Amino acid sequence: MKLRLRGVCLLLITLSCSTNKSAEREASINMEGTWQLVSGTIIEKGDTSFTNYTKERQMIKVINKTHFVFLNHDLTKGKDSSALFIAGGGRYELRGDQYTEHLEYCSDRAWEGYDFRFTIKVQNDTLTQTGMEKIDSIKVNRMNIEKYFRVKG
């Protein structure tokens, strides 16, 4: 009888652990893929600036299981005063809706080596990330809200 009770208890423990793991997996946010930035809002020192990333410039972010990379450039192919190219990437961590980028590479080297924490939300093919960007040495301290659409095919 004791042996049978132990067996039942062991079975229940095993089932509850596997159920929790599958529930965790289901609850995790699927961020892997290529995302195109459509808008960005910066709030700094009480001022808010909005950028439409479908007009004069374009940015994509590619996320795999362990790393992210972003590429941002002007749409005039560098032929006027709006010439711009920014790239960066590194490792990331995702715990629930808390996404932390460890920026290891950046065309603006002053940003390298910093961690940026965001709260993310993925709804259908839209990813929104909201968080603070703070680097004392270059006097950056701002809220950044970015909205991306998933690139298909």
Side-chain angles (χ1 to χ4, degrees), residues 3-105:
L3 188 56
R4 189 178 298 175
L5 184 57
R6 285 183 188 161
V8 170
C9 287
L10 186 58
L11 179 63
L12 287 173
I13 290 169
T14 302
L15 288 174
S16 70
C17 289
S18 65
T19 303
N20 287 342
K21 286 181 183 176
S22 71
E24 264 180 42
R25 245 181 270 119
E26 288 175 22
S28 71
I29 297 171
N30 179 14
M31 290 181 42
E32 288 184 41
T34 302
W35 299 88
Q36 182 169 346
L37 184 62
V38 292
S39 67
T41 302
I42 300 288
I43 304 168
E44 186 171 24
K45 297 178 184 169
D47 293 328
T48 300
S49 65
F50 176 82
T51 303
N52 179 342
Y53 281 89
T54 63
K55 301 246 183 228
E56 297 165 1
R57 52 181 164 159
Q58 188 174 48
M59 179 174 144
I60 63 169
K61 181 180 279 193
V62 180
I63 302 171
N64 67 21
K65 289 186 185 310
T66 58
H67 288 77
F68 73 97
V69 64
F70 61 86
L71 304 165
N72 184 344
H73 71 152
D74 63 90
L75 295 177
T76 61
K77 300 186 187 266
K79 295 182 179 166
D80 64 20
S81 62
S82 69
L84 169 78
F85 182 78
I86 303 169
R91 295 172 296 106
Y92 76 88
E93 294 174 43
L94 178 62
R95 291 194 174 102
D97 67 351
Q98 299 302 299
Y99 169 66
T100 303
E101 294 180 344
H102 306 288
L103 191 58
E104 298 172 54
Y105 309 94

